Amino acid sequence: MQSPKLLRNAQTQHGDASSVDVENIFLHRHMLSTNPTSGGNLPDREDSPKCVWFPDDQDGGPAESKDPPTSISEEKSETQSKEVLPEKRKASSTDDEGYVKKVKLDANGLKTKRPGFSDERYDETSYYFENGLRKVYPYFFTFTTFAKGRWVDEKILDVFVREFRAAPPEEYERSLEAGKLTVNSEKVPKDYRIKHNDLLANVVHRHEVPVTSQPIKIVYMDKDIVVVNKPASIPVHPCGRYRHNTVVFILAKEHNLKNLRTIHRLDRLTSGLLLFGRTAEKARELELQIRTRQVQKEYVCRVEGRFPDGIVECNEKIDVVSYKIGVCKVSPKGKDCKTTFKRIGEVGSDSIVLCKPLTGRMHQIRVHLQYLGYPISNDPLYNHEVFGPLKGRGGDIGGISEEQLISNLISIHNAETWLGLEEDQIVSGEIKDAAASTSVVENPINRETEKPVISQNLEPSNEIATQTCYEEPDRSFDSKKATSDPQCSECKLNYRDPGTKDLIMYLHAWKYKGIGWEYETELPDWACNSNIDYDQV
C-alpha cells in the first residue's frame, strides 16, 4: 500500500495572515544573510548580496518604487551595479583563456532564452482553474547563475547549503550525484571547488503558487501600449516562485501579447492600473514621465479607523530599513517623500481614502499611512505588531533598533520557511486560530470536509479582448498534463489553497494621467461598499 502524502498546512509554506508581508521579505531574499541578526542597515549596499535561483524581480509599486531591481539570473541587477566586486584573477595560461571564452559564449546563448521573450519558455507548462484559482502544472526548469567572487575555491555543496535556501542540503547533494546540478554543463562531485566564471545550472521540478483566477482586463491597447487592470495576487513579472503565474506570462500565453516592456510595477497584492510598452520607444517615453514626476497618480485604499477630515499631507522622509529584506520606515535620514490623503467614505469602522503620491519611494503609501496611525486594514507587513505596540505610528517601533527589527521580521517564521518557500501568504479561510499564530504548525487536511473559502467573484470570465486570445486554460485539473519527480520534495506535499483574504490587499491603483494620456480602471468590490460618488472625487 502506497504511503499517503505528507500534509503541510498553509503557514509552513506561505506564512499566516497575521504575519509580516512575506512578499516584501522575499522580494530581496537573495540578499538575506545566513545569520538573521547580521542584517543591519545597509545604506550603501556595500555587502555582496546572496544569490538565488529565482529571477528575483521586485514588484515595487509605481508610486512606491522608483528604481526596482531586475532579474538577477538573467540581467545585471541594480544592487549588483552598485557592488564593489572583488578583483578577478587573470588567466595564467592559454588554456584558461580558452575556457573563459567558452563560458562567455554559453552566457550569450542564455540571453536569447530570457523569460518573456521565447516561445520555448511560454510552452514549459500550462494553466488550469480550480477553486477559483489559477494554477500551474508543475514543470522542469533550469536555473542558472555565474559564480560570485566570494564562492571561488569553496566547495560547491557548501555554497549551495549556505546561500541557496530553496531546497534542503540533502536535495542539493542528490542533484549533484544525479547530474542535475552541473558546472559548465558537466557533472561534478560534491567537493568540487568553484572557479571564476563557472556557470552553475540546476534542473528542478518547479511548483508555482496559485493566484486568483480573475481575468486581467485590458483597459486600453494600441500598437504602442497595453494598459491592464491587474488583479491582486498576481505579480507583474517572474519573481520568487512565480513565473507563469505572472501578468507578463498570462498576457503572452493567453492573449498573444508578447515582448511587452515593463514601464512601472505594482506590488503583488496591489490591484489596478498597469502600463506596458509594445515598443521600446513608447516604454522609454512613459517611463521617463513617471521618473520625472510628470504623471499624476491616484490610489484608493481602505484603512483602519476614521481618517481625519480634509486633506492630510505627509512629508516624512522614507528610508529603507534593510535592502536585504526590502522593508521601509519613516526616518530623518531617508529620502524626501510626499503623499496627500483624503477620506472619501467609510465602511464600518474603516475609512476609504484617496491617496496621491507625489514622489515615488518604495512602499510610500503604505509607510506613510502606517506613520499616520491609519495603516491599510489588511496590510500584512505595515499593519503588524512586529513594528511595536503602536505598529509604527509616529515612527515608534517599540524602542528597538533597526537591526532588531530586521531580526524580528525574519524570525517571525522559521528561516527556512521564509527563505525557501517564498513570498505568498496562504491560509485557508477556516484556519482562524492558526492564522493568529506566528508559529509553524502542521495540521493534516481532511479533503472531504475542509475546503478553502473562495469568493464566487474569483471565477474566471471572458471579458478580456477576445481578438487577442491565444491559449485557453484548462477548466479543471488534467492528470495527463501533470508531471512528477521522485526526488522533488514538493511532490510529496499537499498545500492548502489560498483563501480570499490572502489574495488581496486594500490598495488599488485607480488613475494615471500623464502628458497627453489618461487611464482609469474600475474599482474593486471592497472600495464600492460605501456610498461614494467617485465622479465627484
Side-chain angles (χ1 to χ4, degrees):
M1 180 177 180
Q2 187 178 3
S3 59
K5 288 185 176 181
L6 297 176
L7 294 176
R8 178 179 292 182
N9 74 354
Q11 293 99 308
T12 306
Q13 183 187 17
H14 302 291
D16 59 70
S18 64
S19 68
V20 301
D21 187 357
V22 189
E23 173 180 348
N24 292 281
I25 298 297
F26 276 100
L27 293 174
H28 296 285
R29 75 191 187 291
H30 61 285
M31 300 181 185
L32 283 169
S33 62
T34 304
N35 180 7
T37 59
S38 65
N41 193 23
L42 303 174
D44 297 320
R45 304 192 188 188
E46 293 179 351
D47 293 342
S48 297
K50 305 296 181 185
C51 286
V52 292
W53 287 114
F54 306 109
D56 206 358
D57 293 288
Q58 159 73 353
D59 283 334
E64 303 164 16
S65 181
K66 186 173 181 180
D67 295 299
T70 54
S71 173
I72 67 165
S73 65
E74 290 141 341
E75 294 185 22
K76 186 176 181 180
S77 69
E78 174 189 0
T79 303
Q80 288 171 318
S81 67
K82 295 184 180 180
E83 289 182 323
V84 179
L85 297 177
E87 183 180 357
K88 294 187 177 179
R89 297 178 295 185
K90 295 182 178 179
S92 58
S93 68
T94 56
D95 291 339
D96 289 338
E97 292 174 0
Y99 169 74
V100 172
K101 290 180 180 178
K102 179 181 178 181
V103 173
K104 289 183 178 179
L105 289 175
D106 291 340
N108 290 334
L110 288 174
K111 291 181 181 179
T112 64
K113 298 182 178 180
R114 294 183 300 173
F117 293 88
S118 166
D119 287 341
E120 179 184 353
R121 295 307 192 193
Y122 296 134
D123 295 339
E124 291 166 337
T125 185
S126 56
Y127 304 110
Y128 66 97
F129 291 136
E130 185 178 67
N131 296 331
L133 299 170
R134 176 188 293 272
K135 297 184 177 182
V136 174
Y137 290 102
Y139 58 99
F140 290 94
F141 183 76
T142 302
F143 290 110
T144 60
T145 186
F146 281 102
K148 309 304 174 185
R150 62 179 178 273
W151 302 349
V152 174
D153 294 330
E154 289 199 55
K155 294 180 180 180
I156 187 170
L157 183 58
D158 293 341
V159 170
F160 273 75
V161 170
R162 183 182 71 244
E163 302 212 18
F164 300 96
R165 308 294 189 86
E170 54 271 17
E171 188 164 327
Y172 289 125
E173 188 169 359
R174 287 196 299 267
S175 295
L176 285 166
E177 294 173 351
K180 291 184 177 181
L181 202 170
T182 61
V183 178
N184 304 321
S185 302
E186 296 179 357
K187 181 178 178 180
V188 298
K190 63 182 180 181
D191 60 351
Y192 171 85
R193 293 189 179 275
I194 295 175
K195 301 180 179 64
H196 277 297
N197 296 314
D198 273 349
L199 177 62
L200 312 181
N202 189 25
V203 179
V204 300
H205 192 233
R206 192 164 184 178
H207 295 246
E208 294 200 23
V209 178
V211 299
T212 180
S213 63
Q214 284 185 323
I216 301 173
K217 297 182 179 180
I218 294 180
V219 176
Y220 175 81
M221 180 171 64
D222 61 24
K223 63 182 180 63
D224 295 319
I225 190 173
V226 175
V227 183
V228 303
N229 186 359
K230 183 187 91 68
S233 82
I234 307 179
V236 175
H237 44 61
C239 57
R241 288 184 60 154
Y242 301 88
R243 179 175 172 79
H244 290 265
N245 260 348
T246 59
V247 174
V248 293
F249 264 70
I250 294 171
L251 290 177
K253 289 161 68 75
E254 294 185 4
H255 311 289
N256 205 22
L257 293 170
K258 300 180 179 180
N259 299 328
L260 299 178
R261 276 80 172 177
T262 302
I263 295 173
H264 68 109
R265 318 190 187 198
L266 294 176
D267 288 340
R268 180 180 58 83
L269 291 177
T270 301
S271 59
L273 271 175
L274 191 59
L275 282 63
F276 293 100
R278 302 188 73 178
T279 63
E281 294 76 16
K282 192 65 174 182
R284 284 194 294 267
E285 174 190 334
L286 296 184
E287 183 182 6
L288 180 62
Q289 290 185 29
I290 291 176
R291 288 181 178 273
T292 55
R293 301 177 187 174
Q294 300 179 66
V295 176
Q296 300 174 28
K297 298 163 284 188
E298 296 185 20
Y299 287 65
V300 175
C301 68
R302 177 172 168 176
V303 305
E304 282 188 352
R306 191 178 190 280
F307 201 79
D309 296 331
I311 295 178
V312 176
E313 184 176 293
C314 187
N315 295 292
E316 297 296 331
K317 295 181 178 180
I318 290 180
D319 187 34
V320 179
V321 175
S322 173
Y323 289 103
K324 289 186 176 182
I325 59 176
V327 177
C328 304
K329 66 181 288 287
V330 165
S331 171
K333 60 184 179 183
K335 294 182 178 180
D336 291 336
C337 206
K338 182 177 181 180
T339 317
T340 63
F341 302 96
K342 180 181 179 182
R343 176 170 51 82
I344 57 176
E346 297 179 10
V347 178
S349 60
D350 291 349
S351 301
I352 303 296
V353 176
L354 178 67
C355 316
K356 295 182 179 181
L358 304 180
T359 51
R361 308 304 178 197
M362 178 179 174
H363 299 162
Q364 175 174 324
I365 292 174
R366 299 164 66 186
V367 173
H368 272 177
L369 285 170
Q370 178 196 49
Y371 180 85
L372 294 173
Y374 300 93
I376 294 174
S377 301
N378 61 349
D379 189 326
L381 174 61
Y382 295 104
N383 190 8
H384 194 281
E385 291 82 0
V386 71
F387 283 92
L390 298 180
K391 299 182 181 180
R393 180 173 185 171
D396 187 342
I397 59 173
I400 62 175
S401 65
E402 291 184 351
E403 288 77 10
Q404 186 60 49
L405 174 62
I406 296 167
S407 177
N408 293 346
L409 285 167
I410 297 173
S411 63
I412 284 178
H413 290 284
N414 177 276
E416 292 298 326
T417 300
W418 283 109
L419 299 173
L421 295 174
E422 267 73 45
E423 58 188 74
D424 202 4
Q425 292 192 337
I426 309 295
V427 179
S428 171
E430 292 151 355
I431 318 176
K432 295 181 180 178
D433 293 337
S437 171
T438 59
S439 60
V440 176
V441 183
E442 296 191 3
N443 296 320
I445 304 173
N446 184 331
R447 296 293 182 185
E448 297 180 357
T449 60
E450 185 174 357
K451 295 182 179 179
V453 178
I454 303 293
S455 174
Q456 292 300 318
N457 63 5
L458 294 182
E459 291 299 330
S461 65
N462 297 318
E463 300 179 25
I464 216 170
T466 55
Q467 71 273 14
T468 63
C469 189
Y470 187 64
E471 178 184 336
E472 186 72 14
D474 295 340
R475 293 294 162 173
S476 62
F477 177 78
D478 184 353
S479 59
K480 295 179 181 179
K481 295 185 178 180
T483 62
S484 62
D485 181 357
Q487 294 184 349
C488 175
S489 58
E490 289 199 57
C491 284
K492 304 172 184 177
L493 300 173
N494 284 333
Y495 294 115
R496 294 185 187 275
D497 283 341
T500 306
K501 64 180 179 179
D502 309 301
L503 301 173
I504 297 173
M505 181 171 64
Y506 296 149
L507 179 61
H508 180 82
W510 183 28
K511 296 180 180 180
Y512 274 34
K513 181 179 181 180
I515 300 175
W517 57 271
E518 181 176 4
Y519 302 110
E520 176 180 336
T521 70
E522 298 175 349
L523 287 163
D525 292 341
W526 55 262
C528 300
N529 294 332
S530 178
N531 296 324
I532 303 173
D533 185 357
Y534 282 98
D535 292 333
Q536 301 299 320
V537 173

